[in-house]
Amino acid sequence: MSHLSPEEQWRVEHARMHAKHRGHEAMHAEMVLILIATLVVAQLLLVQWKQRHPRSYNMVTLFQMWVVPLYFTVKLHWWRFLVIWIFFSAVTAFVTFRATRKPLVQTTPRLVYKWFLLIYKISYATGIVGYMAVMFTLFGLNLLFKIKPEDAMDFGISLLFYGLYYGVLERDFAEMCADYMASTIGFYSESGMPTKHLSDSMCAVCGQQIFVDVSEEGIIENTYRLSCNHVFHEFCIRGWCIVGKKQTCPYCKEKVDLKRMFSNPWERPHVMYGQLLDWLRYLVAWQPVIIGLVQGINYILGLE
């Protein structure tokens, strides 16, 4: 074996594995049935948990997304990911701490949305570059730059993972901070009527004055009016909808028409990217737990 190339060694190991498992078709079929049954039952339980107790579901999901990759990072010695994870966690912890303080400092909502919007845009760009690198490798374009296929594919998959992981994580942290800040300001409550009256010159997201009329072009920032006629700073309502994952008015809870808000075709991919991240959070947070549960069942039943 020592005289064989790595590719030849892999082929020998692959042949040994097939020889070892020859004749185990019935056992393999049983393992597949256990996997499918566990996935179905787990999905039903998670859906019921999310519908009945959304707050606890979101908190546990966020904690798992934050901690589970850390375990594999330390185990597999991915030190670059660990450094980025520590930096992201430190800044996000500071921003979250500011967002949960009472009374809320006037500059905190802008700080929160700026940080999470920055991470959102970086993750979006990183994911796009990673996807393009993977596609270029599949079409063999990496050979034009004399880059090995395995190196190009590793680069693309790594960027794709970074973009999707931190994109999912920042959206959940942003949603949690948005709920805390909106409840503290008083113009929004998860259930029931708001505790404060909203004037026409006040933004319900940040609680600050609106100086630019809806029909005017602002020098620094424009003002946006929803279909329910409530007005907000454009940056605030975009952060509320895209980053904070809210699709209702922060005051009256009327559904926001995202297609009308993002009429520019170049902005609509951000909305679709956000929906993709919401779907991927299940894979990041719960898939490792479900796979671990399946392996535990197989071990108890003596299946290998």
Side-chain angles (χ1 to χ4, degrees):
M1 289 287 289
S2 60
H3 299 290
L4 300 177
S5 65
E7 185 177 351
E8 291 172 335
Q9 291 180 11
W10 180 85
R11 290 177 179 174
V12 172
E13 293 293 338
H14 198 64
R16 288 178 177 175
M17 184 187 70
H18 277 283
K20 179 181 179 181
H21 290 274
R22 188 176 294 117
H24 295 174
E25 289 78 9
M27 184 176 66
H28 292 164
E30 187 177 352
M31 294 172 68
V32 171
L33 291 176
I34 291 174
L35 174 62
I36 295 174
T38 305
L39 287 173
V40 172
V41 173
Q43 183 65 33
L44 293 175
L45 292 176
L46 289 173
V47 169
Q48 289 297 317
W49 182 14
K50 184 177 181 180
Q51 291 178 348
R52 296 174 184 271
H53 306 284
R55 192 176 185 86
S56 62
Y57 171 83
N58 291 331
M59 291 297 292
V60 173
T61 302
L62 177 59
F63 179 77
Q64 286 191 190
M65 286 194 301
W66 191 42
V67 172
V68 169
L70 178 64
Y71 166 77
F72 292 102
T73 297
V74 176
K75 182 178 180 180
L76 300 175
H77 302 154
W78 293 343
W79 305 123
R80 180 176 53 195
F81 179 87
L82 182 61
V83 170
I84 298 175
W85 184 91
I86 292 174
F87 174 77
F88 171 84
S89 299
V91 179
T92 301
F94 170 75
V95 172
T96 305
F97 175 81
R98 290 281 300 272
T100 54
R101 296 307 93 194
K102 295 182 179 181
L104 192 68
V105 180
Q106 293 183 353
T107 58
T108 297
R110 289 298 181 102
L111 171 66
V112 171
Y113 286 125
K114 281 182 179 179
W115 166 247
F116 288 118
L117 185 60
L118 173 64
I119 298 299
Y120 180 84
K121 290 182 177 180
I122 292 176
S123 70
Y124 180 74
T126 304
I128 291 296
V129 173
Y131 176 77
M132 292 177 62
V134 171
M135 290 295 100
F136 283 173
T137 305
L138 292 177
F139 286 107
L141 299 179
N142 58 291
L143 300 177
L144 298 176
F145 303 96
K146 298 181 180 181
I147 301 176
K148 295 181 179 179
E150 55 270 23
D151 294 339
M153 187 62 73
D154 288 346
F155 175 76
I157 292 177
S158 297
L159 288 184
L160 200 57
F161 171 76
Y162 277 98
L164 294 177
Y165 172 71
Y166 286 106
V168 171
L169 201 59
E170 63 83 18
R171 277 174 65 81
D172 276 19
F173 271 111
E175 182 184 23
M176 181 182 67
C177 292
D179 285 339
Y180 272 108
M181 292 188 301
S183 300
T184 301
I185 293 172
F187 294 119
Y188 171 84
S189 61
E190 292 186 4
S191 59
M193 294 298 292
T195 57
K196 294 170 64 177
H197 173 70
L198 179 65
S199 65
D200 293 337
S201 61
M202 187 75 69
C203 176
V205 177
C206 66
Q208 302 300 306
Q209 286 287 122
I210 294 176
F211 297 102
V212 181
D213 190 75
V214 177
S215 59
E216 297 178 355
E217 187 73 20
I219 299 176
I220 299 177
E221 183 177 23
N222 295 326
T223 302
Y224 189 86
R225 185 189 299 276
L226 297 180
S227 57
C228 56
N229 287 326
H230 292 125
V231 294
F232 306 91
H233 296 121
E234 187 177 27
F235 178 84
C236 292
I237 194 62
R238 284 172 178 264
W240 174 267
C241 293
I242 296 183
V243 183
K245 297 199 302 183
K246 307 295 184 182
Q247 296 187 18
T248 57
C249 172
Y251 185 71
C252 67
K253 296 186 178 67
E254 181 176 320
K255 188 171 179 60
V256 175
D257 186 359
L258 295 179
K259 291 183 179 180
R260 175 174 168 265
M261 177 180 291
F262 302 103
S263 56
N264 188 340
W266 293 105
E267 293 179 331
R268 292 183 183 177
H270 289 283
V271 179
M272 293 186 289
Y273 179 64
Q275 295 170 348
L276 171 65
L277 294 179
D278 291 339
W279 179 74
L280 285 174
R281 67 200 297 267
Y282 167 78
L283 298 178
V284 176
W286 294 107
Q287 202 69 8
V289 176
I290 295 173
I291 296 301
L293 181 62
V294 170
Q295 290 181 341
I297 295 175
N298 290 336
Y299 177 79
I300 293 174
L301 295 179
L303 303 175
E304 291 186 13

